[in-house]
């Protein structure tokens, strides 16, 4: 079963681009573009980076760092939940 995709036009770094997007996910793509544009602007304001390409790379690195931090937090919370489940199971088994 092939998922239908649509072409979505977005503005990234002041330039228009076309991206294929799974039907129903258009707003998710638009939100991602908006977040990236905002992060690039933040990088240009907060640092000495003025070149858009370098600001884009710095923004992408910051987003990757944020993602890694969230993944670590998620893994820690899953481990904590599993520990609690194991303790509960042991307690109920007695």
């Amino acid at each position: 079963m092939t998922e239908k995709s649509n072409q979505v036009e977005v503005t990234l770094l002041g330039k228009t681009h076309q991206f294929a997007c799974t039907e129903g996910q258009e707003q998710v793509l638009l939100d991602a573009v908006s977040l990236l544009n905002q992060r690039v602007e933040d990088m240009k304001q907060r640092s000495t980076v003025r070149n858009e390409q370098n600001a884009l790379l710095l923004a992408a690195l910051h987003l990757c760092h944020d993602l890694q931090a969230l993944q670590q937090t998620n893994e820690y919370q899953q481990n904590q939940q599993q520990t609690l489940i194991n303790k509960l199971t042991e307690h109920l088994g007695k």
Side-chain angles (χ1 to χ4, degrees):
M1 185 171 164
T2 305
E3 291 184 15
K4 186 176 179 187
S5 64
N6 295 326
Q7 289 292 315
V8 178
E9 185 174 290
V10 300
T11 302
L12 188 57
L13 300 174
K15 296 179 183 172
T16 302
H17 301 275
Q18 292 274 337
F19 291 101
C21 180
T22 303
E23 189 173 288
Q25 294 296 306
E26 296 86 356
Q27 190 58 51
V28 174
L29 174 61
L30 294 172
D31 291 345
V33 168
S34 178
L35 175 61
L36 184 55
N37 276 325
Q38 184 59 50
R39 289 289 183 106
V40 169
E41 286 305 313
D42 290 348
M43 291 303 112
K44 287 166 48 176
Q45 297 296 320
R46 290 181 10 196
S47 68
T48 58
V49 173
R50 298 291 175 250
N51 176 298
E52 283 194 340
Q53 297 299 335
N54 288 342
L56 177 61
L57 288 172
L58 191 56
L61 284 172
H62 277 260
L63 287 168
C64 288
H65 176 267
D66 292 348
L67 175 61
Q68 286 176 325
L70 287 171
Q71 287 172 330
Q72 288 175 346
T73 299
N74 185 34
E75 184 177 325
Y76 173 78
Q77 289 174 343
Q78 286 178 343
N79 288 338
Q80 291 295 99
Q81 288 172 352
Q82 190 59 51
T83 298
L84 291 172
I85 289 169
N86 292 343
K87 286 181 180 179
L88 182 59
T89 303
E90 288 175 15
H91 179 72
L92 293 175
K94 290 183 177 181

